[in-house]
Amino acid sequence: MADRDSHLQDVLKAPEGPHIAALFDFDGTIIAGYSATAMLWEKIKRREMTAEELVETANVMAQYSMGSMGFSGLMMAASKFMKGVTEDSYFEFGEELYQKHIARKVYPESRDLIEAHMAKGHTVAIVSSATIYQIEPTARDLNIEHVLCSQYEVENGEFTGNIIRPLCFGEGKVIAAERLAKEHNLDLKKSYFYSDSYDDIELLERVGKPRPLNPNSKLTEVAEERGWPLQKFDSRGQGKPVDYLRTIYATGSLVTSFVAGLPIWALTGSQREATNFSTGLFGDIATALTGVELDISGEENLWVNRPCIFVFNHQSKADVMIMAKLVRKDVGGIAKKEVKDTPVIGKVMEMAGTVFVDRADGRNAIKAMEPLIDAIKIDGKSICIAPEGTRTLSPKIGPFKKGAFHLAMQAGVPMVPIVIHNAGDVAPKNEFVMRPATVKVDILPPVDTSKWKKTTLNDHVAEVRGMFLEALGQTDEDLVMVEAATPAVRRKTVKKVTPVKVKKRPAAKVVPKKVTSAAKKTVTATAGKTTARKPAGKKAVARKSPPKKPSGPKK
């Protein structure tokens, strides 16, 4: 195998220009595992499949695995299960799958590859035999405009039980890529295609720069024979036993670090000194156990203006140990009220000065933070707060709540932004296992809050959030994408086309019972007309029941 960064280094040395395409398979390439498997297990978990349907699904999958059924047969079998089901329900179900399962499966290395191609001005597209319902939320998160995929036939908003040919599989991927190339003047001989499967050999041979990524055994054999560069990622998917041990011991080190500080408390009578010792010890032990290293810039800003309010963007449960290692002493924090009920750990955090708040009740949350004002003014403690209020599904920063800003204003102390770039590499949201990674952290200069007023608080929130956006290389358009990934109803219509291009357009007025949003998109195809609307408000609305039938290919 090539070294860990070989594909990325290759892109960084590549020429620029939109005439070069960077085509990515989806399952096994952008994400670990198969999105269709996630769909199937979620339906089984919800008990939405009858015993007869389960048997028939298992039979079809067995035939496909043994080679007695082709991919088109698999898709036809899946499409028959879906006849009469509304397409809206599948878009909604795809969003739920993204939040529960797929978002945490995105390889951070693949994300880096995609961003590197975009920085070069290359035309990036997903070319997958999976369906738009499995792919679209991830494509939106990655800012990928073009999605070329397999399609089910839809009439009057319902699946007909048929498929659209040609499917985006095997030679069908070549057809889809050539259509995209014709429309956008792409030079496929200078273009890249990343895939994990020998099933994609036709397109790998069609492009000038085939790039096997996490290749299966057959593709590995062929690639080695032809001298194609190989690379394999292990940052997602099933963790190794050592990763589980690292995670368990690192989590438990919060308690053991507290216990280690008890003699200091007992012998000196100083709970503060004991807590300071335990906080720094926890940060050092937990990061060492998980193999997390910090690449810090602006470290001096941690100490120049204390007490203060430390605000940080929240991607991962690893943020807790990262913040402990950074701030080390004389700090308190805020956590969601559910953490307080965690055996032992909740009590330890409470004794360390953590205030637990109900994130759903903003007014009472601000009131619950009032004791922290005394901790700042009287005890000289700094406070750590994640203004997003919860972990985000991706590195894209979410909207900020105002609690930290009210606290800074009332206590009369500066605010210090701590920008954590890639804690999700350690453990994304909904992932138990923590893996080794180098996490980049920027500690920005303190923000003076002495002239802040309630009437201008929204401006100050936007100002500080803008600092995070700038440090992360993001824009406010990314917030629209984040909000589009929240549990809001999506209404879409996709017509009979295989290659699909996802393109933003301004929000428009829609009929009643539709949700208006700036995240609305139009999907136009290289052949035919395809529209896709993606309204997404800030608040969740009532969902339809998810589809009751199994669907989706493995690739």
Side-chain angles (χ1 to χ4, degrees):
M1 288 287 176
D3 67 85
R4 181 179 178 87
D5 295 323
S6 62
H7 284 350
L8 180 60
Q9 293 303 318
D10 181 39
V11 176
L12 296 176
K13 297 174 184 177
E16 300 180 355
H19 64 289
I20 298 175
L23 311 176
F24 287 81
D25 181 36
F26 187 63
D27 293 306
T29 304
I30 290 178
I31 68 169
Y34 299 103
S35 53
T37 302
M39 295 183 82
L40 180 60
W41 280 113
E42 183 65 19
K43 291 175 184 179
I44 293 173
K45 181 179 177 181
R46 297 179 180 190
R47 299 181 180 179
E48 292 174 355
M49 297 178 68
T50 66
E52 181 182 353
E53 290 169 345
L54 282 170
V55 170
E56 189 170 351
T57 299
N59 180 50
V60 167
M61 293 177 67
Q63 291 184 58
Y64 178 71
S65 299
M66 292 186 295
S68 57
M69 176 182 287
F71 181 75
S72 61
L74 178 68
M75 286 288 289
M76 279 299 300
S79 67
K80 289 178 181 178
F81 289 138
M82 299 166 62
K83 185 174 181 179
V85 177
T86 64
E87 189 186 27
D88 276 354
S89 68
Y90 259 78
F91 276 114
E92 294 166 24
F93 189 41
E95 296 291 344
E96 293 178 11
L97 283 172
Y98 172 74
Q99 294 173 54
K100 290 183 178 180
H101 303 287
I102 295 177
R104 62 187 171 91
K105 294 178 180 290
V106 176
Y107 285 110
E109 299 94 339
S110 293
R111 185 185 293 274
D112 290 343
L113 272 173
I114 290 166
E115 290 177 353
H117 277 293
M118 289 179 173
K120 287 286 184 177
H122 298 167
T123 300
V124 179
I126 294 175
V127 187
S128 173
S129 57
T131 65
I132 193 70
Y133 321 107
Q134 296 156 255
I135 300 170
E136 189 176 45
T138 304
R140 184 178 60 238
D141 167 48
L142 296 171
N143 293 328
I144 294 177
E145 185 178 6
H146 306 280
V147 175
L148 289 71
C149 61
S150 297
Q151 296 277 341
Y152 294 117
E153 185 179 69
V154 178
E155 289 183 0
N156 300 320
E158 293 184 353
F159 296 110
T160 65
N162 296 319
I163 57 176
I164 306 299
R165 298 180 186 274
L167 293 170
C168 199
F169 180 82
E171 186 63 27
K173 286 194 176 185
V174 177
I175 295 171
E178 288 179 340
R179 286 182 182 176
L180 186 71
K182 183 177 181 180
E183 180 180 341
H184 294 277
N185 297 317
L186 306 177
D187 187 345
L188 292 181
K189 289 299 183 182
K190 295 181 180 179
S191 297
Y192 300 75
F193 178 46
Y194 299 87
S195 175
D196 71 307
S197 176
Y198 182 79
D199 290 339
D200 292 332
I201 191 65
E202 290 95 338
L203 186 52
L204 286 165
E205 291 174 335
R206 177 66 178 84
V207 299
K209 297 186 178 182
R211 293 294 182 265
L213 191 57
N214 308 315
N216 59 21
S217 57
K218 191 170 183 179
L219 180 56
T220 298
E221 181 181 343
V222 170
E224 288 176 346
E225 289 177 357
R226 302 187 185 187
W228 293 346
L230 307 175
Q231 194 167 6
K232 185 175 178 60
F233 302 149
D234 59 5
S235 59
R236 292 292 184 265
Q238 185 65 36
K240 302 173 184 176
V242 68
D243 294 325
Y244 285 91
L245 286 175
R246 286 173 181 265
T247 302
I248 292 168
Y249 280 117
T251 304
S253 68
L254 177 62
V255 177
T256 57
S257 297
F258 174 77
V259 172
L262 290 178
I264 298 175
W265 189 359
L267 296 174
T268 67
S270 174
Q271 181 181 357
R272 181 168 184 164
E273 288 302 321
T275 301
N276 286 343
F277 173 80
S278 296
T279 300
L281 183 64
F282 165 63
D284 291 338
I285 291 178
T287 53
L289 283 171
T290 53
V292 173
E293 297 182 1
L294 302 184
D295 176 12
I296 307 171
S297 65
E299 189 169 4
E300 68 279 2
N301 293 321
L302 290 168
W303 309 103
V304 295
N305 227 323
R306 289 202 180 187
C308 63
I309 305 297
F310 290 111
V311 288
F312 64 97
N313 55 310
H314 196 17
Q315 300 175 35
S316 169
K317 64 181 180 181
D319 293 335
V320 177
M321 64 184 183
I322 291 171
M323 290 299 296
K325 187 174 180 67
L326 290 172
V327 300
R328 305 198 71 82
K329 64 179 185 178
D330 297 330
V331 292
I334 294 174
K336 59 184 180 180
K337 67 176 184 178
E338 291 84 359
V339 175
K340 187 176 182 180
D341 298 326
T342 305
V344 184
I345 291 178
K347 190 63 177 177
V348 168
M349 293 180 66
E350 185 177 17
M351 294 181 70
T354 301
V355 170
F356 301 96
V357 299
D358 182 356
R359 296 178 304 184
D361 189 345
R363 181 168 298 181
N364 285 335
I366 293 174
K367 185 175 180 63
M369 290 191 290
E370 289 179 356
L372 295 176
I373 297 176
D374 289 339
I376 297 168
K377 289 184 173 181
I378 299 173
D379 299 331
K381 283 189 173 184
S382 297
I383 306 299
C384 298
I385 304 178
E388 291 161 299
T390 188
R391 287 172 290 170
T392 56
L393 287 166
S394 77
K396 291 178 180 176
I397 198 163
F400 278 11
K401 300 181 184 297
K402 298 178 184 178
F405 299 85
H406 280 289
L407 190 61
M409 187 170 58
Q410 292 176 40
V413 294
M415 178 173 283
V416 177
I418 297 180
V419 184
I420 304 175
H421 286 251
N422 58 310
D425 291 5
V426 181
K429 185 175 182 178
N430 299 326
E431 180 63 73
F432 172 75
V433 174
M434 291 192 280
R435 292 177 168 88
T438 297
V439 179
K440 178 176 171 56
V441 181
D442 295 332
I443 296 95
L444 305 184
V447 178
D448 182 15
T449 66
S450 60
K451 297 182 181 180
W452 284 11
K453 299 178 182 179
K454 286 185 178 181
T455 55
T456 58
L457 194 60
N458 287 339
D459 295 333
H460 305 311
V461 173
E463 175 190 2
V464 173
R465 186 174 176 276
M467 295 176 182
F468 280 85
L469 289 171
E470 182 177 1
L472 292 168
Q474 298 176 14
T475 67
D476 275 325
E477 288 184 4
D478 294 318
L479 175 60
V480 174
M481 298 300 183
V482 170
E483 290 178 340
T486 59
V489 172
R490 276 79 176 178
R491 311 260 186 231
K492 305 173 187 249
T493 303
V494 182
K495 294 186 180 178
K496 308 174 184 179
V497 185
T498 296
V500 179
K501 173 186 172 184
V502 181
K503 185 170 83 175
K504 289 183 291 183
R505 73 177 182 185
K509 187 175 180 180
V510 293
V511 297
K513 297 186 180 179
K514 304 281 184 179
V515 183
T516 304
S517 167
K520 188 174 297 180
K521 296 189 176 183
T522 297
V523 177
T524 55
T526 56
K529 297 180 180 179
T530 304
T531 60
R533 292 172 296 170
K534 294 195 288 191
K538 293 185 179 179
K539 296 182 180 179
V541 298
R543 290 185 176 279
K544 297 180 181 179
S545 297
K548 296 183 178 181
K549 302 291 184 182
S551 145
K554 282 192 173 184
K555 285 287 296 169

